[in-house]
Amino acid sequence: MPVTRPERDAMRRAFALARRGPRGINPQVGAVILSPAGEIIAEGWHRGAGTPHAEVDALSQLSADQVRGTTVVVTLEPCNHTGRTGPCALALIEAGVARVVFSAEDPGVHSGGGAARLRAAGVDVAAGVLAEEGVALIDDWLVSVRLGRPFITVKWAQSLDGRAAASDGTSQWITGPAARADVHERRADADAILVGTGTVLADDPALTARRPDGTLYEHQPVPVVLGTRAVPEDAAIRRHPHSPLFHDTLDGAIAELRERGIQRLFVEGGPTVASAVIQAGLADEVLAYIAPVLIGGDRLALTDIGVATLADAPRLRIASVEKLGDDLLVIARPTTGRSDASAPPAARAPYDEGRSTTDTKGS
């Protein structure tokens, strides 16, 4: 059965509902239930680990008679796994829904396969509706599930000519207040923030996520320090709401974050750390804050990333360009999608299973 216009409209509504849910170890998911006449009769979204999934949240608002024969429109393929909650695919089958329309496929080893289970039970299923938008909504979660590690964002601030600091090392402030406020909002969206010991020793950053008035956001990223040098006991990072993690190697840091269920890692550690992450092929997203200032010199935003010839240079696609005051934010991602269907799924817990100096001085 072809996808109808009311179903597409309902999917867009489901995307909006999904964004109400928290970002974290679980994906943001929204669901809308349509009557046989194509009218919205219930809505739901996932509110976090241990709470009902979006489909079940919507089903709970209707009686058994009201649900039977309806169409459920959901942003992510209904799960097929029993964790803290039961499988949504089974809940939909038992409720007697006639049709399920979903956007992004669930790549989880344990949680995927809901569509096949629904079809086997005689439920009509339409997959991949507005798939590009559905994948974009939970791209970080999809990457994390497929690669078995956090989604990694690398951020830096630079002058128009690509410098991260002046020749004397000063970098406060290359960008303006609007750009710095944006960085703190993105920190608050991350689960962990990574810097090198060089940044900690030179700038003594707090690495908290703060509003423009200085108050802390409710969600704070776990600070991670990479390097072998000792960090003073009175360093500001040791007063962070979360105890900092210390690692000598990037691989060790990523491994612990994976074990802790960290979903999104924000790398803000200066040219050395940023270059190491990029050279290792771990950057899923690059945020380049560009200020209209010329500095010159050799303090580049990136150091050696292993590019000996232009043919070896990693190519990115521009996802967006935003104007923040006088500055620009360019967001770029690898040209090969990390969340596409060709990528091998990683064997990790399914959804619901629980949980230097580049404008960073004093931050």
Side-chain angles (χ1 to χ4, degrees):
M1 175 179 172
V3 178
T4 66
R5 182 170 182 175
E7 289 171 344
R8 292 181 182 276
D9 291 342
M11 184 64 76
R12 294 187 178 94
R13 173 60 181 165
F15 291 148
L17 292 169
R19 294 186 182 95
R20 296 183 182 181
R23 295 180 62 188
I25 191 64
N26 295 321
Q28 293 174 300
V29 183
V32 171
I33 300 180
L34 298 176
S35 70
E39 299 172 341
I40 294 178
I41 56 175
E43 298 179 337
W45 66 92
H46 186 53
R47 292 167 171 81
T51 65
H53 289 188
E55 305 95 312
V56 175
D57 183 36
L59 288 173
S60 69
Q61 301 166 31
L62 301 173
S63 68
D65 289 341
Q66 289 174 311
V67 171
R68 198 166 294 111
T70 59
T71 294
V72 174
V73 178
V74 61
T75 58
L76 179 65
E77 178 184 2
C79 69
N80 192 31
H81 168 77
T82 300
R84 297 185 189 180
T85 59
C88 292
L90 180 59
L92 295 170
I93 292 167
E94 292 179 342
V97 304
R99 179 169 162 85
V100 172
V101 178
F102 69 87
S103 181
E105 293 185 2
D106 186 336
V109 170
H110 303 289
S111 55
R117 186 172 188 174
L118 288 164
R119 290 188 179 105
V123 178
D124 187 51
V125 177
V129 177
L130 301 180
E132 186 174 343
E133 295 173 53
V135 168
L137 175 68
I138 55 171
D139 189 47
D140 52 357
W141 180 80
L142 290 169
V143 168
S144 182
V145 168
R146 291 197 179 282
L147 300 183
R149 61 160 175 77
F151 181 94
I152 300 176
T153 295
V154 179
K155 167 264 174 184
W156 66 77
Q158 66 172 65
S159 63
L160 197 60
D161 55 344
R163 269 58 184 179
S167 58
D168 65 354
T170 56
S171 62
Q172 282 190 312
W173 294 103
I174 290 176
T175 56
R180 297 197 297 274
D182 185 79
V183 169
H184 279 272
E185 286 185 23
R186 294 177 186 276
R187 284 184 183 181
D189 277 341
D191 300 315
I193 181 170
L194 174 72
V195 299
T197 52
T199 291
V200 174
L201 296 175
D203 299 341
D204 194 26
L207 296 184
T208 51
R210 302 184 299 279
R211 300 181 182 88
D213 64 4
T215 59
L216 297 182
Y217 282 102
E218 286 74 14
H219 180 74
Q220 293 292 320
V222 175
V224 185
V225 181
L226 186 64
T228 58
R229 287 181 286 178
V231 174
E233 290 300 319
D234 62 350
I237 196 172
R238 295 190 183 274
R239 299 189 294 275
H240 193 282
H242 297 293
S243 298
L245 307 178
F246 298 94
H247 280 277
D248 294 347
T249 67
L250 182 59
D251 286 346
I254 298 298
E256 180 173 358
L257 294 178
R258 181 178 64 244
E259 289 299 317
R260 287 173 171 261
I262 295 295
Q263 192 80 17
R264 297 179 311 281
L265 174 62
F266 197 68
V267 177
E268 199 177 343
T272 301
V273 170
S275 300
V277 173
I278 290 173
Q279 185 168 7
L282 296 173
D284 302 303
E285 180 179 67
V286 169
L287 307 182
Y289 292 84
I290 304 172
V293 60
L294 300 175
I295 297 177
D298 57 0
R299 294 197 177 239
L300 299 172
L302 288 180
T303 59
D304 182 18
I305 59 171
V307 176
T309 181
L310 188 59
D312 297 335
R315 295 285 180 179
L316 308 179
R317 61 177 176 83
I318 303 300
S320 68
V321 179
E322 303 175 29
K323 195 170 190 302
L324 300 169
D326 292 332
D327 307 314
L328 292 179
L329 167 60
V330 177
I331 301 178
R333 293 189 172 188
T335 53
T336 301
R338 306 287 180 93
S339 59
D340 61 28
S342 63
R348 60 172 285 145
Y351 124 65
D352 197 45
E353 277 299 286
R355 284 212 70 161
S356 145
T357 59
T358 307
D359 269 9
T360 58
K361 185 175 286 186
S363 57

